[in-house]
Amino acid sequence: MLHVRSIWNGAISFGLVSIPIKLVNATESHSISFRQVHLDDGGRIRYRKFCEAEDREVTTGEIGKAYEDADGTLIPITDEDLAQLPIPTARTIEIVAFVPADRIDPLQMDTAYYLSANGVPAAKPYTLLREALKRSQKVAIAKFALRGRERLGMLRVVDDVIAMHGLLWPDEIRAPQDVAPDTGVTVRDKELDLADALMDTLGEVDLADLHDDYREALEELIAAKASGVEAPAAPTGEKTGGKVLDLMAALEKSVRAAKESRGEGEETGEAAEVTRLQGRTTARKSARTAPKEVGGKKSTAKKSAAKKTTAKKGTTATTASSATTAKKPASKTTASKTTAQSATKKTAAKKTAAAKKTSPRKRTSA
């Protein structure tokens, strides 16, 4: 923190407590800037500052401030004039209230700064204010003067540092009139359900994982041109944007695309969630035990005809239950016939034996 150049030195006024601090920019721009050049020869285009009264170029040290009146009169304003303004915030960040963080409209957020304790004596009151903000879970609203005007600020804790966000004054926020669609639109519940599904599918993101794709592509372009190689071509693919003709189709397609990008859906083999209907399980069990279909059609009449044909021919039935039913009566009838034949044979054998015994006796008597 101390290695960063401070842009303002002053103090935080916390009731009767004064905390010497340094103001440091909390953000930095990584955007790539361009220079203006002459298209014919590539020469650098520069802006030079000339004094109209003397018609000559002047240096930065010779340039001051002035306010232009309505009639064009220039009224000089020096840094000493600004420093002597009769306002308490000229060199002080004056805390005026402590409020819940959700009271601050994000539209008011402006530049962010870090407040660094200026010197060893400032460490104790600085830490006191920081811990008070943490425990109260509130933010401090303050007024301060910077770069020639008084501003509004919000103090909050970031890790172990007090940060200050510049806030726009309420009258600097434009009213959102004539910005919303001026036509009456009805949103259906199904469309809202799909929008909710898309939001749930996209989920959350760690902001630290996001980066500036445009800047990276621009750096690659500059490096390619500097090396004399061909610049990378733009990716070819489905164009996005334009007029949405079918909102439902667009939402459904967005949900599918979001699921695929997160590794969900059919491509990964993940089973989709299905709400089963009543009677569906019974129908599936019947289909498993039923005979194979011919031509994809089911016919009760064909099943009955098949059973009758099987019973007449005595062959194995297509249905296991029909075959069992047909075999049982046949087995009983065959057994009955076999028993009757055995009994007849035994009776005949007895008669034959008796006849043989009788014949010798008759011969003897004769």
Side-chain angles (χ1 to χ4, degrees):
M1 183 69 65
L2 297 177
H3 299 288
V4 182
R5 179 177 176 270
S6 62
I7 61 173
W8 185 88
N9 291 343
I12 301 175
S13 176
F14 178 33
L16 297 178
V17 178
S18 181
I19 311 171
I21 56 96
K22 294 180 179 180
L23 195 67
V24 177
N25 280 322
T27 62
E28 57 185 3
S29 175
H30 291 164
S31 62
I32 298 175
S33 59
F34 297 99
R35 303 295 185 184
Q36 291 184 333
V37 295
H38 189 199
L39 291 177
D40 288 345
D41 52 19
R44 172 82 179 273
I45 303 297
R46 296 181 180 274
Y47 291 96
R48 297 183 178 180
K49 300 177 180 180
F50 276 79
C51 174
E52 293 182 354
E54 299 181 8
D55 192 22
R56 68 176 182 87
E57 186 176 354
V58 295
T59 62
T60 302
E62 298 177 90
I63 300 174
K65 302 181 184 67
Y67 175 79
E68 185 175 3
D69 206 350
D71 59 358
T73 304
L74 295 176
I75 303 173
I77 302 294
T78 65
D79 292 337
E80 289 75 13
D81 294 333
L82 296 176
Q84 294 176 4
L85 287 175
I87 55 175
T89 58
R91 284 293 172 184
T92 304
I93 299 175
E94 182 183 6
I95 296 177
V96 296
F98 293 88
V99 300
D102 57 7
R103 287 271 302 276
I104 306 301
D105 191 335
L107 283 174
Q108 289 185 258
M109 296 287 189
D110 201 359
T111 309
Y113 307 95
Y114 288 136
L115 304 183
S116 172
N118 191 4
V120 176
K124 180 70 175 183
Y126 183 96
T127 305
L128 172 64
L129 176 59
R130 183 191 67 196
E131 296 305 314
L133 288 172
K134 282 184 180 180
R135 191 168 70 172
S136 66
Q137 296 183 347
K138 293 182 178 181
V139 297
I141 303 300
K143 295 169 66 177
F144 66 102
L146 181 65
R147 297 190 177 101
R149 70 185 188 95
E150 190 174 51
R151 302 170 185 243
L152 198 60
M154 179 191 75
L155 277 65
R156 68 184 184 96
V157 179
V158 178
D159 295 334
D160 289 332
V161 176
I162 298 176
M164 181 174 68
H165 295 268
L167 299 179
L168 299 175
W169 294 100
D171 59 0
E172 293 179 316
I173 305 296
R174 292 179 177 177
Q177 296 175 353
D178 303 326
V179 178
D182 56 357
T183 58
V185 178
T186 302
V187 179
R188 295 179 294 172
D189 289 339
K190 290 184 177 179
E191 294 169 337
L192 283 174
D193 292 341
L194 279 174
D196 290 341
L198 178 58
M199 293 167 62
D200 292 339
T201 304
L202 292 176
E204 299 182 356
V205 67
D206 186 356
L207 295 180
D209 295 336
L210 302 179
H211 58 277
D212 190 347
D213 293 326
Y214 181 84
R215 179 172 60 88
E216 291 181 358
L218 193 56
E219 289 174 347
E220 292 179 3
L221 173 63
I222 295 172
K225 282 185 168 290
S227 303
V229 299
E230 185 178 357
T236 57
E238 183 179 355
K239 294 182 179 180
T240 59
K243 186 177 180 181
V244 177
L245 299 179
D246 190 341
L247 182 59
M248 289 291 289
L251 286 171
E252 290 174 350
K253 185 176 181 180
S254 300
V255 172
R256 288 195 301 269
K259 286 184 177 180
E260 291 176 1
S261 65
R262 295 172 67 90
E264 302 175 1
E266 297 178 357
E267 293 187 358
T268 58
E270 181 180 341
E273 183 179 352
V274 178
T275 302
R276 299 191 181 278
L277 301 177
Q278 293 181 354
R280 199 72 173 269
T281 305
T282 306
R284 287 185 178 178
K285 288 182 178 178
S286 301
R288 290 173 185 168
T289 57
K292 295 184 179 179
E293 301 172 5
V294 179
K297 298 181 180 179
K298 296 180 180 179
S299 174
T300 306
K302 287 184 179 181
K303 290 180 181 179
S304 302
K307 289 179 181 180
K308 291 179 181 179
T309 304
T310 304
K312 289 180 180 180
K313 292 182 179 181
T315 58
T316 304
T318 305
T319 307
S321 59
S322 300
T324 304
T325 305
K327 286 179 180 179
K328 285 182 180 179
S331 300
K332 290 181 181 179
T333 304
T334 304
S336 300
K337 288 181 180 181
T338 304
T339 305
Q341 290 175 359
S342 300
T344 303
K345 289 180 180 181
K346 288 179 180 180
T347 304
K350 287 180 181 181
K351 289 182 179 181
T352 304
K356 287 180 179 181
K357 290 179 180 180
T358 307
S359 295
R361 288 179 183 176
K362 287 181 180 181
R363 287 176 183 177
T364 304
S365 302

